[in-house]
Amino acid sequence: MPLQGLCDLQIHVNGQHTFFLHQKVISRFSGKLKKIIKQEKKKTQIKNSGIEILDFPGGIEGFELVSRFCYNNGNIKITVSNVCLLHCCANFLGMTEKLSTCNLLHQTESFFEGLFYWSWHDIITSLKSCESFLNYADSCGLIQKLMTSLLAKIAQNSDINNLFGLATSSASSSSSSEQMKPSSISTSKVWWFEDMTILSPTIIEQFLRTLGAFGSDNNSLLLTRFLLYYLKTAAQYCKSHNNIDNNSSNCHNLISRIEYSGLADTAVKGVVLMGKTAFSCRNLFWVLRIVCGFGISKERRGNLEKLIGGNLDQATLDDILVCGHNGGVYDVNLVLRLIRVFVHINDKVSVQKLKKVGRLMDKYLREIAPDQSLKISKFLGIAESLPDYARDCFDGVYRAIDIYLESHPTLSLEERSRLCRCLNYEKLSLEACKDLAKNPRISPRIAVQALASQNSSSIPTTDNNFAKETKVSNSQMVLYKKNKSDSSSSSDQHSLQEEEQEYMRLNLQKMQWRVVELEKICKDMKGQMSKMVKSGVMVPPAHTRALPRLCRSQDF
């Protein structure tokens, strides 16, 4: 005989599953079902239509446990894993002492009376079990009850005062000072951090609200550290599962940005509040990498970037190599924003700090130059973001340009020329200038400008004869400039182009000869200087300052 023939009651739970039961067995323990059955009997035959129950806490699993309780004559094994579910089901179905002395609601309440003696892991396990019916468990007061016990366990094993206002306390102990060392923020953890990472973001949010430390109210270093640890663990979990699931295009297919965004905002609020007193520049970049994937608000991100930008001179190349999100390998827009913040905040910044950032940007340019998706405007944005005096030498920028040109061979002549506009030719070393002049990827016009600037910056600092000689030599280096009136026919225009190329070749050859001459002069001057020093003749300071740049060995 089929199962339906043995039962006289059908119950459809949450539109997911149908249970075939006996009216008499279920009505004995559930006041709500007993009432529904009586009402349905007056309308139609319920065994044909059944009873629809929506929003049942715990869904199929919860109703199955209740059914077992009823068919086992009011007995079921209650544990920390199922007590919350059984309590919510009993409350939903009205399984009170009005119907039976061995009712389910009374049994679960009796079990909770021993909550004080539960272990830490028992409380965590019970909280974890509430995730699928969290709203109903919260309305029954279970979440608040478990949270109170959770905090009591933390208080038994640590200083509960550390959860409140540690960062703003003026009288901090030596132990709390140790906790605030920037180097320990991203590596250290407290004993309860790991266990709570299994809880859902909604429960963690409830935990923070219980402490009055959610959102803008967060002023605790300890809770900020916990949130960062929690978010880091969630991101790692997401990454590992993304590698397994080939159908997932990114980690946000597995975790909800909306669920975590509130926690990320709360963490950033704590970081910004404590600033560089608790977080080094490297730690701040570490924080940025963690929270940027969880959809933090624009205001919070701006505050964090302002904090990082103000300390950009302490950053390293590894710090600023943040992955891009819009097709690029690196997040160049982020670095541009950080530079703007640095320049704006440090309006009166020391030249030493500015030069430190300049050297950092030169390294960054060389690192991002091979990126095929990097636009010229972004490259120039980084190269031109600092004033000229932030760099003593532009060799680093030139090397980055050379790498970019090599990685982007399809650039037009105009684009290549545009790329070189960020160079200060007068601050190029002789070696770099020679390399530029021979570089086939550099426009000849740019090569002429570079060598001309090199000569002009060096001539006034030498003797008059050398200046005159250079002036005469330079006057011979004239580029052919086509006149519009001469281009009357296509054949003439072709001839002019060939003639222009020949002029370019000759001029470049002359410039190479001139470089050899300048090197010879430099060598002779250095020999004379050595003889003067050995003979005890002092060189006047003004004369020393007037030596041409190409004679300064430290620039080679």
Side-chain angles (χ1 to χ4, degrees):
M1 177 181 283
L3 180 62
Q4 290 89 329
L6 299 175
C7 305
D8 56 1
L9 177 64
Q10 297 180 27
I11 298 182
H12 311 290
V13 178
N14 294 352
Q16 298 174 336
H17 189 75
T18 300
F19 289 86
F20 297 91
L21 307 167
H22 293 88
Q23 298 180 29
K24 186 176 180 180
V25 176
I26 296 298
S27 299
R28 179 185 171 192
F29 295 97
S30 172
K32 184 172 184 177
L33 288 177
K34 185 177 182 179
K35 182 179 180 180
I36 293 175
I37 291 172
K38 286 182 178 181
Q39 292 175 348
E40 290 296 324
K41 277 185 176 181
K42 296 178 181 179
K43 299 178 183 178
T44 182
Q45 295 293 323
I46 60 172
K47 64 180 179 180
N48 295 326
S49 60
I51 297 174
E52 186 78 27
I53 298 180
L54 300 176
D55 300 325
F56 188 79
I60 300 172
E61 180 187 358
F63 199 85
E64 184 176 350
L65 286 176
V66 169
S67 300
R68 290 180 182 179
F69 173 83
C70 296
Y71 277 89
N72 199 30
N73 200 27
N75 292 306
I76 193 170
K77 184 179 180 180
I78 301 178
T79 66
V80 294
S81 300
N82 65 17
V83 63
C84 291
L85 178 56
L86 288 172
H87 181 83
C88 290
C89 291
N91 190 72
F92 185 91
L93 294 175
M95 304 176 74
T96 64
E97 59 185 5
K98 292 181 179 180
L99 284 87
S100 174
T101 55
C102 58
N103 64 87
L104 184 57
L105 190 61
H106 175 73
Q107 292 183 39
T108 55
E109 289 176 344
S110 299
F111 192 89
F112 276 119
E113 290 177 359
L115 183 59
F116 179 79
Y117 302 101
W118 288 16
S119 68
W120 164 263
H121 289 287
D122 288 342
I123 300 172
I124 294 291
T125 301
S126 194
L127 271 172
K128 178 69 176 175
S129 70
C130 294
E131 290 181 354
S132 62
F133 52 96
L134 188 62
N135 290 335
Y136 198 88
D138 191 26
S139 65
C140 292
L142 292 182
I143 301 301
Q144 187 62 43
K145 186 182 294 186
L146 291 170
M147 284 296 175
T148 303
S149 298
L150 193 73
L151 291 173
K153 292 297 180 183
I154 294 177
Q156 289 174 8
N157 295 276
S158 59
D159 183 9
I160 193 67
N161 292 326
N162 283 343
L163 291 174
F164 302 97
L166 177 63
T168 56
S169 175
S170 59
S172 57
S173 62
S174 59
S175 61
S176 63
S177 298
E178 180 69 22
Q179 285 182 329
M180 293 181 68
K181 283 186 176 180
S183 60
S184 66
I185 295 299
S186 60
T187 56
S188 62
K189 63 178 180 179
V190 182
W191 62 270
W192 50 271
F193 282 14
E194 183 70 31
D195 294 329
M196 293 190 65
T197 57
I198 69 171
L199 300 176
S200 69
T202 309
I203 292 181
I204 297 301
E205 180 178 328
Q206 186 77 11
F207 172 71
L208 296 175
R209 291 186 185 278
T210 302
L211 291 170
F214 183 75
S216 301
D217 296 326
N218 178 28
N219 62 355
S220 167
L221 176 62
L222 186 60
L223 290 179
T224 299
R225 288 174 52 202
F226 163 67
L227 281 175
L228 292 173
Y229 185 84
Y230 179 82
L231 293 171
K232 181 191 73 171
T233 304
Q236 289 174 343
Y237 173 85
C238 158
K239 184 177 180 180
S240 63
H241 280 67
N242 186 43
N243 292 334
I244 297 173
D245 186 1
N246 295 327
N247 294 324
S248 299
S249 58
N250 54 60
C251 69
H252 300 306
N253 291 335
L254 294 170
I255 57 175
S256 172
R257 290 165 60 96
I258 298 177
E259 285 184 323
Y260 286 89
S261 61
L263 299 181
D265 271 1
T266 303
V268 172
K269 172 62 179 180
V271 171
V272 172
L273 180 65
M274 283 158 272
K276 57 185 178 181
T277 59
F279 294 86
S280 67
C281 187
R282 169 153 291 188
N283 290 150
L284 292 174
F285 274 102
W286 177 79
V287 171
L288 181 64
R289 282 181 169 89
I290 291 176
V291 301
C292 68
F294 293 104
I296 58 175
S297 65
K298 186 176 180 180
E299 179 185 2
R300 289 281 189 268
R301 186 184 181 99
N303 291 337
L304 182 57
E305 289 182 1
K306 184 177 181 181
L307 185 60
I308 297 174
N311 299 279
L312 193 58
D313 59 298
Q314 301 173 19
T316 65
L317 179 60
D318 288 339
D319 294 333
I320 61 177
L321 291 177
V322 180
C323 294
H325 303 288
N326 297 317
V329 178
Y330 301 110
D331 193 345
V332 180
N333 290 331
L334 168 66
V335 178
L336 283 170
R337 293 195 299 270
L338 295 179
I339 297 174
R340 293 192 195 104
V341 170
F342 177 78
V343 174
H344 176 73
I345 292 181
N346 301 283
D347 190 25
K348 298 181 180 179
V349 69
S350 66
V351 178
Q352 183 179 2
K353 285 186 176 181
L354 202 59
K355 289 182 176 180
K356 195 172 181 180
V357 175
R359 291 191 293 270
L360 177 63
M361 290 305 113
D362 288 354
K363 295 178 183 177
Y364 184 69
L365 282 171
R366 292 197 294 272
E367 190 70 29
I368 66 175
D371 182 6
Q372 297 293 320
S373 61
L374 181 64
K375 297 180 180 178
I376 292 179
S377 58
K378 298 299 180 183
F379 184 96
L380 290 174
I382 297 291
E384 298 175 340
S385 58
L386 296 170
D388 269 10
Y389 60 86
R391 294 181 175 92
D392 291 327
C393 180
F394 270 71
D395 286 15
V397 180
Y398 167 67
R399 293 190 189 99
I401 291 176
D402 191 31
I403 295 172
Y404 188 91
L405 291 174
E406 186 177 3
S407 304
H408 300 76
T410 59
L411 293 179
S412 65
L413 178 63
E414 181 182 354
E415 289 173 325
R416 282 181 279 153
S417 300
R418 177 188 171 199
L419 194 64
C420 293
R421 77 183 188 190
C422 61
L423 287 173
N424 185 333
Y425 304 126
E426 295 181 0
K427 287 190 175 184
L428 284 175
S429 68
L430 182 59
E431 289 295 326
C433 220
K434 287 166 58 180
D435 186 80
L436 185 150
K438 295 181 292 184
N439 195 330
R441 292 181 288 272
I442 299 293
S443 166
R445 179 175 59 84
I446 299 297
V448 171
Q449 290 178 356
L451 282 176
S453 299
Q454 183 83 194
N455 292 344
S456 64
S457 63
S458 304
I459 291 171
T461 61
T462 60
D463 56 79
N464 293 332
N465 291 333
F466 176 64
K468 291 178 181 178
E469 180 186 354
T470 306
K471 184 176 181 181
V472 172
S473 178
N474 284 339
S475 66
Q476 298 174 358
M477 293 192 298
V478 180
L479 290 176
Y480 179 80
K481 190 173 183 180
K482 182 172 62 177
N483 194 318
K484 293 182 180 179
S485 61
D486 295 335
S487 56
S488 57
S489 65
S490 58
S491 60
D492 292 340
Q493 187 174 7
H494 179 70
S495 176
L496 288 173
Q497 290 177 350
E498 290 181 346
E499 189 175 359
E500 181 180 8
Q501 291 175 358
E502 179 64 20
Y503 268 84
M504 289 285 190
R505 187 185 65 79
L506 292 174
N507 282 334
L508 285 175
Q509 189 174 17
K510 290 177 182 178
M511 283 187 285
Q512 291 176 351
W513 294 338
R514 190 60 194 145
V515 168
V516 175
E517 292 174 3
L518 291 172
E519 286 182 325
K520 184 176 182 302
I521 294 172
C522 178
K523 184 177 180 180
D524 294 338
M525 293 181 67
K526 289 173 68 176
Q528 294 176 8
M529 289 283 293
S530 299
K531 291 179 181 180
M532 293 175 67
V533 172
K534 289 180 180 179
S535 62
V537 179
M538 301 300 294
V539 180
H543 188 183
T544 304
R545 291 195 298 270
L547 286 175
R549 179 176 181 78
L550 55 87
C551 296
R552 300 176 193 168
S553 59
Q554 65 267 27
D555 293 329
F556 282 67

